[in-house]
Amino acid sequence: MSEITFYSLVVEKCLNLAKEEDRIKIIKELMNSPQFLQILQDAYGNYVIQSALKLCKGALNAALVEAIKPHVPVLWSHPYGKKVILSSSNLKK
């Protein structure tokens, strides 16, 4: 089990249970991670991003979508990355 895989399970649980202010901090941390593309492509990490897309609203959701957009061409060719694109109508455009 990779490090990203293990931690992604914990982060996904935190996103689902966190108060709004803590959820915002977690999502910002994900977006600014040097491993963001790896998370998007990871078998479990992609679920963290999908959860973040579902749980964040407004400007934060728009910022997360914008952080993902540069990676969309790579994600389309990756089996797990593709799931992130398909989970958000804002990324399918």
Side-chain angles (χ1 to χ4, degrees), residues 19-49:
K19 294 178 185 175
E20 185 67 22
E21 63 192 49
D22 294 326
R23 186 178 298 132
I24 291 168
K25 290 176 188 175
I26 294 168
I27 293 170
K28 286 182 177 179
E29 197 68 34
L30 286 167
M31 289 188 308
N32 294 316
S33 171
Q35 297 169 329
F36 187 59
L37 180 58
Q38 286 178 276
I39 296 167
L40 291 166
Q41 294 176 318
D42 185 78
Y44 296 95
N46 80 85
Y47 289 111
V48 173
I49 303 302

